[in-house]
Amino acid sequence: MTVMNQPSLGTDGHRFGVLFVFTAGVLWSTVGLGIRLIEDAVVWQILLYRSASLSLLLYVFIRMRSGESPFAQIRRTGFPAVIAGLSLVAAYSGGIYAIQATSVANAMLLFATAPFMAAVLGWVVLREPVRPATWVAIAVAIAGIAIMVADKSGGVALKGSLAALGSAFGFAVFTVALRWGKSGEMLPSVFLSGLFGIIVT
């Protein structure tokens, strides 16, 4: 009976994973509006307050959920948690700057390249197979990026586009780090990213 139930559990887990990823995309798409409504703060000010509130909230949540310090969980997980935390700082700071420097539409479309970057990184670092259809999608996405960035050949707009790509790369590294450290608890890596953000700012 247990063996027969395993496929359905796996299917349910996959469905929840897809739902969570879709929800994260929807929520992330609101970031542009929020940042544009902030008129007087620069990238590092936004990142500082965001990192401080994120770390505080997650520290309380992790303590309540697990009964132990997130630092203890980070020590057990090791290097993947550190890589994940650092990559999120790059993703956050690049994302904030991109939205301030270029149009929200342009930034969000470039952020959407993160899954393609993650697929390539997963193939290179984790040796995870990539389907032929995914390679085709990656090629089409690269062509689209080239067209989008081509008309922003100078000034702040180009820097914003490059920052958006850097942010997407940060999220891709974070995704691969999560897969790398999947045997441990990886939520504390997000808490750690907040601490790194505070130190950087």
Side-chain angles (χ1 to χ4, degrees):
M1 182 65 69
T2 302
V3 175
M4 292 177 65
N5 286 337
Q6 284 178 349
S8 62
L9 289 173
T11 302
D12 290 342
H14 178 74
R15 288 173 180 169
F16 277 117
V18 171
L19 177 62
F20 288 146
V21 169
F22 176 77
T23 304
V26 172
L27 293 175
W28 178 246
S29 69
T30 65
V31 170
L33 177 61
I35 292 176
R36 282 300 177 88
L37 291 175
I38 302 174
E39 297 180 355
D40 298 326
V42 298
V43 174
W44 304 117
Q45 291 172 312
I46 297 172
L47 186 61
L48 173 62
Y49 290 115
R50 184 191 185 285
S51 298
S53 58
L54 172 71
S55 294
L56 178 61
L57 177 64
L58 281 179
Y59 183 86
V60 173
F61 177 78
I62 292 170
R63 287 296 300 233
M64 291 178 61
R65 191 183 74 162
S66 65
E68 64 178 349
S69 167
F71 294 105
Q73 297 179 350
I74 290 168
R75 282 195 296 270
R76 284 199 302 272
T77 304
F79 200 53
V82 176
I83 295 297
L86 289 172
S87 64
L88 276 184
V89 175
Y92 296 152
S93 55
I96 294 169
Y97 178 82
I99 291 171
Q100 289 186 331
T102 187
S103 68
V104 173
N106 187 62
M108 289 298 166
L109 285 172
L110 291 174
F111 293 156
T113 62
F116 303 121
M117 295 182 185
V120 174
L121 283 175
W123 176 64
V124 172
V125 177
L126 304 177
R127 303 299 181 188
E128 292 188 344
V130 179
R131 295 182 304 166
T134 304
W135 285 118
V136 173
I138 291 171
V140 172
I142 292 173
I145 292 169
I147 294 172
M148 290 167 55
V149 178
D151 64 341
K152 297 171 178 60
S153 56
V156 178
L158 177 60
K159 293 180 180 178
S161 296
L162 294 176
L165 288 174
S167 176
F169 183 74
F171 279 118
V173 174
F174 174 70
T175 303
V176 173
L178 290 184
R179 291 286 294 168
W180 180 19
K182 63 182 178 181
S183 60
E185 177 60 67
M186 289 299 289
L187 182 60
S189 66
V190 184
F191 162 78
L192 189 61
S193 75
L195 297 184
F196 286 149
I198 292 171
I199 292 170
V200 169
T201 52

